[in-house]
Amino acid sequence: MFDVIVVGAGPAGSTAAKTLAERGRKVLLAERFKMPRYKSCSGQLIQRTLDLVERYYGEPVPRSTMCTPTENRGVILTDDRGNRFRFEQSGRNVWRSAFDKWLADKAAAAGAEVREETAAIACEEEGGAVAVTLKNRERVYVEQARYLIDGAGVTSTLKRKLTGKAPEHIIMYQTYNRGTIDLDPHFFYAWLQPDLSQYDAWFNVKDGQLVLGVSVRDNERIDEYFTRFLAYMQKKHGLRIERELKQDRWLLHRARPGCAIDPGMGRVLFAGETAGFLNPMGEGVSSALESGHQAAMAILGCFDDPQRALSAYETGIKPLQDYMKRQWHLVSGMSEAFREMKR
Ligand SMILES: Cc1cc2nc3c(=O)[nH]c(=O)nc-3n(C[C@H](O)[C@H](O)[C@H](O)COP(=O)(O)OP(=O)(O)OC[C@H]3O[C@@H](n4cnc5c(N)ncnc54)[C@H](O)[C@@H]3O)c2cc1C
């Protein structure tokens, strides 16, 4: 019997597992892939994220997880009328594969048992515990815990099964390229013009690779938007692609007015993107770190009372939800596509 089973070794899951294990709880962290695993992400860690890492992990983000340019100097947004806004702040540029592996290793060093290539495929509450069905290459088996923290990200199997609902998604499509462009690689750029994407189109640089992406609602319209975005970048910023290295496609849930957060149910707490955290200004990782930490602290504070633990968690993440609403409000003033997100 574990005290807590945590699903998913992303920033939410690893932070929850580390917080619990270093305070003496018996924790299992189950991750579906072998670490380091690929995670589609721009990997821009803003100052808020760096501060949270120092607070929860007791040391700064290590250079070994970073790519060049290591310093991110902020975000440059172009609104749907073509006006440019600069949001400058100092951050870091990481590969999520290396960063997330570092977080998971810290959870293991704190005493969490980390099982890689182990997917959580079902869970059920019974007799004051949660039975979690896990699957690895060899077998399907069940582990018991007093609590489950689900940090499996946007496509969480357990959340879908527990709530019976599939969230509405948008598709993020991006390519990594060798080439040249006349933009400063220290910034992350986003464009909100409706002819370039159905949400946003973006550009950033990782170890000399030019990353270009568009987000869309309709899978079959990726090519159309992406082609238009490339043409725009060629014309406006002198983009020249010599060779495409990689393509990737990922899902994000669609933010809705009010930014509803789902804290979980019974002995199951949702953290990170599983709970619905989705910020428009590069705070995905910080929301995951913070909600993972809050979930762990709520369980630690009310271990024998799941109802109180859940409501302590809800209270703990309220400021994070309010922050998310403010960020969406800011972006809603910049693009028709986000107008419904006005507070
Ligand atoms: C294209 C793109 C660019 C982004 N850029 C940025 C950025 O620059 N900065 C930023 O802060 N945020 C960014 N984000 C958002 C950020 O990536 C997420 O918000 C963040 O990763 C959420 O963390 P998480 O821990 O909730 O989930 P995840 O990071 O998704 O981690 C979930 C983990 O759970 C595992 N898992 C899934 N299902 C199971 C299962 N059934 N059993 C066991 N394990 C499972 C997964 O393999 C994964 O390791 C970006 C997202 C995308 C798609």
Side-chain angles (χ1 to χ4, degrees), residues 7-13 30-33 35 37-46 49 96 100 118-121 134 151-158 172-174 188 202 248 250-252 271-274 277-278 282-289:
V7 178
E31 164 57 45
R32 141 168 93 154
F33 294 116
M35 304 292 281
R37 53 92 181 94
Y38 178 73
K39 161 78 180 85
S40 178
C41 184
S42 306
Q44 310 294 306
L45 302 187
I46 58 173
T49 314
R96 282 293 302 280
D100 288 18
T118 300
I121 55 172
L134 299 168
V154 69
T155 54
S156 166
T157 308
L158 299 187
M172 316 281 279
Y173 172 80
Q174 58 182 8
F188 178 86
W202 63 92
D248 99 58
W250 207 265
L251 295 177
L252 274 186
E273 281 193 356
T274 310
F277 286 107
L278 173 66
E283 300 97 339
V285 174
S286 54
S287 308
L289 292 166

Side-chain angles (χ1 to χ4, degrees), residues 177-192:
N177 307 278
R178 289 275 170 230
T180 52
I181 196 163
D182 67 7
L183 289 170
D184 181 346
H186 293 90
F187 286 86
F188 178 86
Y189 298 82
W191 290 267
L192 304 178

Side-chain angles (χ1 to χ4, degrees), residues 32-102:
R32 141 168 93 154
F33 294 116
K34 184 158 178 53
M35 304 292 281
R37 53 92 181 94
Y38 178 73
K39 161 78 180 85
S40 178
C41 184
S42 306
Q44 310 294 306
L45 302 187
I46 58 173
Q47 190 59 51
R48 182 181 168 91
T49 314
L50 301 175
D51 292 345
L52 287 172
V53 169
E54 288 226 38
R55 190 180 320 154
Y56 300 150
Y57 289 81
E59 53 190 298
V61 173
R63 287 194 86 81
S64 58
T65 65
M66 294 177 199
C67 46
T68 57
T70 53
E71 190 197 3
N72 169 263
R73 296 184 184 152
V75 176
I76 299 181
L77 271 179
T78 303
D79 74 6
D80 59 2
R81 290 167 294 268
N83 305 308
R84 266 184 152 205
F85 298 86
R86 285 169 82 91
F87 299 90
E88 292 197 30
Q89 60 163 303
S90 181
R92 290 285 176 265
N93 188 11
V94 299
W95 286 115
R96 282 293 302 280
S97 48
F99 176 69
D100 288 18
K101 165 97 171 87
W102 180 74

